[in-house]
């Protein structure tokens, strides 16, 4: 199915979700590679939009993460930077295997202070998400901060994550089942917001940038 057929389907389809799926604003209609990639992503998103669950659309071309349901955008998270290995392995619909763990302040035994409900501040800012089809998505925070101490801590975490990512890819290249990886750099608030929004078995579709 070509892009024109997809757009026509979205325009005439009866369910409201079909009319709400947005075509990428940065799409270059004169570039056949971009049209092919956009068609693939829209076809996969149509499958997800038919169900009530929320899903992720990671738009690397537009440097944006979209949290969506029924084809309707619920929230957008800007991507500061990203890197990946084989872009071919990013195709398809991937599903989240496990959400990142919550980091909570420890309460001393016998203390009279009650544990507060989990909030956005309890979410991690650097974590690794494992998806089906051997896709690993690493989220790291950008290091810009008004606090020198906080910046130093973030730099240390990012540096350690770099070492772990490099080691993982080095070992994976020599394994029988390669792992696709995607590394996303987000602001601290946005990284926590993404972690807060994730649910078990959440689906993700990735739009890959194409050569100009």
């Amino acid at each position: 199915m070509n892009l024109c057929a997809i757009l026509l389907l979205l325009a005439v389809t009866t369910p409201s979700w079909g009319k709400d799926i947005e075509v990428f604003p940065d799409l270059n209609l004169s570039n056949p590679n971009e049209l092919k990639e956009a068609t693939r992503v829209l076809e996969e998103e149509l499958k997800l939009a038919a169900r009530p669950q929320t899903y992720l659309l990671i738009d690397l071309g537009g440097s944006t993460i979209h949290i969506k349901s029924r084809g309707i955008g619920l929230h957008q998270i800007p991507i500061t930077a990203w890197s990946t290995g084989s872009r071919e392995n990013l195709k398809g619909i991937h599903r989240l295997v496990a959400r990142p763990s919550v980091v909570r302040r420890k309460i001393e035994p016998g203390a009279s202070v009650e544990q507060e409900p989990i909030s956005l501040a309890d979410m991690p800012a650097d974590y690794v998400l494992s998806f089906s089809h051997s896709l690993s998505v690493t989220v790291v925070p950008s290091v810009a901060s008004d606090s020198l101490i906080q910046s130093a801590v973030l730099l240390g975490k990012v540096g350690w994550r770099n070492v772990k990512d490099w080691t993982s890819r080095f070992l994976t290249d020599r394994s029988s089942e390669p792992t696709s990886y995607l590394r996303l750099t987000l602001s601290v608030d946005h990284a926590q917001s993404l972690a807060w929004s994730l649910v078990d078995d959440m689906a993700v579709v990735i739009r890959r940038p194409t050569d100009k």
Side-chain angles (χ1 to χ4, degrees):
M1 184 182 295
N2 58 33
L3 182 61
C4 293
I6 288 287
L7 296 179
L8 179 60
L9 176 62
L10 297 180
V12 301
T13 187
T14 300
S16 60
W17 54 262
K19 299 178 182 179
D20 290 318
I21 295 180
E22 299 178 356
V23 179
F24 308 108
D26 63 317
L27 182 63
N28 182 1
L29 296 177
S30 63
N31 187 322
N33 292 331
E34 288 195 29
L35 291 177
K36 182 179 179 180
E37 178 66 8
T39 299
R40 179 192 66 81
V41 172
L42 287 173
E43 287 177 336
E44 292 173 348
E45 189 178 352
L46 276 174
K47 300 173 186 177
L48 299 176
R51 300 176 180 273
Q53 292 85 359
T54 57
Y55 60 92
L56 296 178
L57 170 59
I58 301 179
D59 183 3
L60 298 179
S63 296
T64 306
I65 300 173
H66 301 268
I67 301 174
K68 309 182 76 172
S69 177
R70 295 286 194 181
I72 301 173
L74 305 177
H75 185 52
Q76 293 186 19
I77 297 175
I79 300 173
T80 303
W82 63 269
S83 62
T84 187
S86 173
R87 298 184 184 183
E88 183 68 20
N89 295 333
L90 300 180
K91 294 195 304 183
I93 296 175
H94 306 265
R95 291 196 172 272
L96 183 65
V97 175
R99 289 179 289 176
S101 58
V102 177
V103 181
R104 305 210 66 186
R105 181 172 60 89
K106 293 183 178 180
I107 301 297
E108 295 295 332
S112 59
V113 179
E114 295 184 0
Q115 184 81 343
E116 296 181 356
I118 295 176
S119 65
L120 185 63
D122 295 314
M123 296 296 107
D126 61 296
Y127 45 89
V128 177
L129 303 175
S130 296
F131 288 86
S132 59
H133 307 302
S134 300
L135 172 63
S136 177
V137 177
T138 300
V139 177
V140 296
S142 54
V143 296
S145 174
D146 294 334
S147 170
L148 292 178
I149 296 179
Q150 184 178 7
S151 294
V153 172
L154 289 177
L155 279 171
K157 288 184 177 181
V158 171
W160 173 241
R161 181 68 69 191
N162 288 341
V163 173
K164 292 181 67 176
D165 287 349
W166 182 87
T167 303
S168 176
R169 292 197 294 270
F170 179 82
L171 296 176
T172 297
D173 290 341
R174 287 153 176 78
S175 67
S176 58
E177 185 178 356
T179 299
S180 308
Y181 75 91
L182 175 62
R183 176 189 174 94
L184 302 174
T185 301
L186 312 175
S187 71
V188 173
D189 291 342
H190 287 138
Q192 291 177 313
S193 178
L194 177 60
W196 177 268
S197 304
L198 298 173
V199 297
D200 292 334
D201 201 39
M202 194 173 196
V204 61
V205 176
I206 302 172
R207 179 198 175 201
R208 306 166 302 169
T210 58
D211 296 332
K212 302 299 183 181

